[in-house]
PDB file of all heavy atoms in Angstrom:
ATOM      1  N   GLN A  90     109.674 117.005 108.159  1.00 98.00           N
ATOM      2  CA  GLN A  90     110.691 116.013 107.798  1.00 98.00           C
ATOM      3  C   GLN A  90     110.093 114.785 107.117  1.00 98.00           C
ATOM      4  O   GLN A  90     110.778 113.779 106.928  1.00 98.00           O
ATOM      5  CB  GLN A  90     111.466 115.576 109.048  1.00 98.00           C
ATOM      6  CG  GLN A  90     112.136 116.717 109.808  1.00 98.00           C
ATOM      7  CD  GLN A  90     113.107 117.496 108.932  1.00 98.00           C
ATOM      8  OE1 GLN A  90     113.869 116.914 108.171  1.00 98.00           O
ATOM      9  NE2 GLN A  90     113.069 118.817 109.025  1.00 98.00           N
ATOM     10  N   ILE A  91     108.805 114.864 106.792  1.00 98.00           N
ATOM     11  CA  ILE A  91     108.164 113.748 106.089  1.00 98.00           C
ATOM     12  C   ILE A  91     107.636 114.258 104.752  1.00 98.00           C
ATOM     13  O   ILE A  91     106.845 115.198 104.695  1.00 98.00           O
ATOM     14  CB  ILE A  91     106.994 113.163 106.901  1.00 98.00           C
ATOM     15  CG1 ILE A  91     107.500 112.636 108.252  1.00 98.00           C
ATOM     16  CG2 ILE A  91     106.307 112.041 106.131  1.00 98.00           C
ATOM     17  CD1 ILE A  91     106.399 112.122 109.156  1.00 98.00           C
ATOM     18  N   THR A  92     108.079 113.639 103.674  1.00 98.00           N
ATOM     19  CA  THR A  92     107.664 114.093 102.344  1.00 98.00           C
ATOM     20  C   THR A  92     106.548 113.222 101.785  1.00 98.00           C
ATOM     21  O   THR A  92     106.320 112.104 102.254  1.00 98.00           O
ATOM     22  CB  THR A  92     108.836 114.053 101.354  1.00 98.00           C
ATOM     23  OG1 THR A  92     109.179 112.680 101.093  1.00 98.00           O
ATOM     24  CG2 THR A  92     110.057 114.773 101.903  1.00 98.00           C
ATOM     25  N   ALA A  93     105.875 113.757 100.775  1.00 98.00           N
ATOM     26  CA  ALA A  93     104.845 112.999 100.059  1.00 98.00           C
ATOM     27  C   ALA A  93     105.465 111.746  99.445  1.00 98.00           C
ATOM     28  O   ALA A  93     104.819 110.699  99.356  1.00 98.00           O
ATOM     29  CB  ALA A  93     104.213 113.864  98.983  1.00 98.00           C
ATOM     30  N   GLY A  94     106.731 111.857  99.053  1.00 97.00           N
ATOM     31  CA  GLY A  94     107.442 110.709  98.495  1.00 97.00           C
ATOM     32  C   GLY A  94     107.564 109.583  99.516  1.00 97.00           C
ATOM     33  O   GLY A  94     107.368 108.416  99.188  1.00 97.00           O
ATOM     34  N   ASP A  95     107.870 109.931 100.751  1.00 98.00           N
ATOM     35  CA  ASP A  95     107.955 108.930 101.815  1.00 98.00           C
ATOM     36  C   ASP A  95     106.644 108.153 101.922  1.00 98.00           C
ATOM     37  O   ASP A  95     106.632 106.923 102.010  1.00 98.00           O
ATOM     38  CB  ASP A  95     108.227 109.610 103.166  1.00 98.00           C
ATOM     39  CG  ASP A  95     109.611 110.246 103.232  1.00 98.00           C
ATOM     40  OD1 ASP A  95     110.516 109.735 102.542  1.00 98.00           O
ATOM     41  OD2 ASP A  95     109.782 111.243 103.960  1.00 98.00           O
ATOM     42  N   VAL A  96     105.557 108.897 101.913  1.00 98.00           N
ATOM     43  CA  VAL A  96     104.231 108.301 102.085  1.00 98.00           C
ATOM     44  C   VAL A  96     103.886 107.371 100.926  1.00 98.00           C
ATOM     45  O   VAL A  96     103.474 106.224 101.126  1.00 98.00           O
ATOM     46  CB  VAL A  96     103.161 109.404 102.216  1.00 98.00           C
ATOM     47  CG1 VAL A  96     101.774 108.798 102.342  1.00 98.00           C
ATOM     48  CG2 VAL A  96     103.460 110.291 103.416  1.00 98.00           C
ATOM     49  N   VAL A  97     104.069 107.871  99.713  1.00 97.00           N
ATOM     50  CA  VAL A  97     103.749 107.070  98.532  1.00 97.00           C
ATOM     51  C   VAL A  97     104.589 105.797  98.498  1.00 97.00           C
ATOM     52  O   VAL A  97     104.076 104.712  98.256  1.00 97.00           O
ATOM     53  CB  VAL A  97     103.971 107.883  97.245  1.00 97.00           C
ATOM     54  CG1 VAL A  97     103.964 106.981  96.023  1.00 97.00           C
ATOM     55  CG2 VAL A  97     102.905 108.952  97.101  1.00 97.00           C
ATOM     56  N   ARG A  98     105.876 105.937  98.769  1.00 97.00           N
ATOM     57  CA  ARG A  98     106.757 104.768  98.738  1.00 97.00           C
ATOM     58  C   ARG A  98     106.347 103.734  99.781  1.00 97.00           C
ATOM     59  O   ARG A  98     106.382 102.529  99.526  1.00 97.00           O
ATOM     60  CB  ARG A  98     108.205 105.187  98.936  1.00 97.00           C
ATOM     61  CG  ARG A  98     108.897 105.559  97.616  1.00 97.00           C
ATOM     62  CD  ARG A  98     110.356 105.937  97.830  1.00 97.00           C
ATOM     63  NE  ARG A  98     110.475 107.364  98.137  1.00 97.00           N
ATOM     64  CZ  ARG A  98     110.955 108.274  97.305  1.00 97.00           C
ATOM     65  NH1 ARG A  98     111.398 107.907  96.131  1.00 97.00           N
ATOM     66  NH2 ARG A  98     111.022 109.532  97.650  1.00 97.00           N
ATOM     67  N   ALA A  99     105.947 104.211 100.965  1.00 97.00           N
ATOM     68  CA  ALA A  99     105.541 103.284 102.030  1.00 97.00           C
ATOM     69  C   ALA A  99     104.295 102.506 101.628  1.00 97.00           C
ATOM     70  O   ALA A  99     104.156 101.326 101.960  1.00 97.00           O
ATOM     71  CB  ALA A  99     105.292 104.051 103.320  1.00 97.00           C
ATOM     72  N   LEU A 100     103.405 103.165 100.910  1.00 96.00           N
ATOM     73  CA  LEU A 100     102.109 102.549 100.613  1.00 96.00           C
ATOM     74  C   LEU A 100     102.038 101.842  99.274  1.00 96.00           C
ATOM     75  O   LEU A 100     101.328 100.849  99.124  1.00 96.00           O
ATOM     76  CB  LEU A 100     101.014 103.613 100.676  1.00 96.00           C
ATOM     77  CG  LEU A 100     100.760 104.185 102.069  1.00 96.00           C
ATOM     78  CD1 LEU A 100      99.936 105.448 101.994  1.00 96.00           C
ATOM     79  CD2 LEU A 100     100.075 103.143 102.939  1.00 96.00           C
ATOM     80  N   GLU A 101     102.755 102.349  98.300  1.00 95.00           N
ATOM     81  CA  GLU A 101     102.620 101.771  96.961  1.00 95.00           C
ATOM     82  C   GLU A 101     103.921 101.195  96.426  1.00 95.00           C
ATOM     83  O   GLU A 101     103.970 100.757  95.283  1.00 95.00           O
ATOM     84  CB  GLU A 101     102.083 102.826  95.990  1.00 95.00           C
ATOM     85  CG  GLU A 101     100.879 103.575  96.529  1.00 95.00           C
ATOM     86  CD  GLU A 101      99.793 103.738  95.484  1.00 95.00           C
ATOM     87  OE1 GLU A 101      99.676 102.848  94.634  1.00 95.00           O
ATOM     88  OE2 GLU A 101      99.078 104.740  95.527  1.00 95.00           O
ATOM     89  N   GLY A 102     104.957 101.225  97.224  1.00 94.00           N
ATOM     90  CA  GLY A 102     106.235 100.670  96.784  1.00 94.00           C
ATOM     91  C   GLY A 102     107.116 101.731  96.161  1.00 94.00           C
ATOM     92  O   GLY A 102     106.697 102.870  95.990  1.00 94.00           O
ATOM     93  N   PRO A 103     108.344 101.340  95.813  1.00 94.00           N
ATOM     94  CA  PRO A 103     109.299 102.275  95.228  1.00 94.00           C
ATOM     95  C   PRO A 103     108.796 102.865  93.918  1.00 94.00           C
ATOM     96  O   PRO A 103     108.026 102.226  93.203  1.00 94.00           O
ATOM     97  CB  PRO A 103     110.538 101.407  94.979  1.00 94.00           C
ATOM     98  CG  PRO A 103     110.061  99.998  95.038  1.00 94.00           C
ATOM     99  CD  PRO A 103     108.898 100.006  95.969  1.00 94.00           C
ATOM    100  N   ILE A 104     109.234 104.066  93.631  1.00 94.00           N
ATOM    101  CA  ILE A 104     108.812 104.765  92.421  1.00 94.00           C
ATOM    102  C   ILE A 104     109.636 104.283  91.244  1.00 94.00           C
ATOM    103  O   ILE A 104     110.781 104.683  91.079  1.00 94.00           O
ATOM    104  CB  ILE A 104     108.976 106.287  92.587  1.00 94.00           C
ATOM    105  CG1 ILE A 104     108.072 106.781  93.709  1.00 94.00           C
ATOM    106  CG2 ILE A 104     108.676 107.018  91.281  1.00 94.00           C
ATOM    107  CD1 ILE A 104     108.351 108.194  94.167  1.00 94.00           C
ATOM    108  N   GLU A 105     109.066 103.378  90.455  1.00 89.00           N
ATOM    109  CA  GLU A 105     109.784 102.908  89.279  1.00 89.00           C
ATOM    110  C   GLU A 105     108.838 102.540  88.158  1.00 89.00           C
ATOM    111  O   GLU A 105     108.228 101.479  88.176  1.00 89.00           O
ATOM    112  CB  GLU A 105     110.699 101.730  89.627  1.00 89.00           C
ATOM    113  CG  GLU A 105     110.130 100.748  90.632  1.00 89.00           C
ATOM    114  CD  GLU A 105     111.167  99.757  91.100  1.00 89.00           C
ATOM    115  OE1 GLU A 105     112.070 100.163  91.843  1.00 89.00           O
ATOM    116  OE2 GLU A 105     111.077  98.584  90.708  1.00 89.00           O
ATOM    117  N   PRO A 106     108.772 103.404  87.155  1.00 88.00           N
ATOM    118  CA  PRO A 106     107.906 103.167  86.005  1.00 88.00           C
ATOM    119  C   PRO A 106     108.224 101.833  85.329  1.00 88.00           C
ATOM    120  O   PRO A 106     107.327 101.140  84.872  1.00 88.00           O
ATOM    121  CB  PRO A 106     108.227 104.322  85.070  1.00 88.00           C
ATOM    122  CG  PRO A 106     108.750 105.394  85.952  1.00 88.00           C
ATOM    123  CD  PRO A 106     109.443 104.713  87.079  1.00 88.00           C
TER     124      PRO A 106
END
Side-chain angles (χ1 to χ4, degrees):
Chain A
Q90 303 302 317
I91 300 176
T92 69
D95 293 331
V96 178
V97 166
R98 273 182 272 252
L100 293 166
E101 312 224 31
I104 297 168
E105 38 190 71

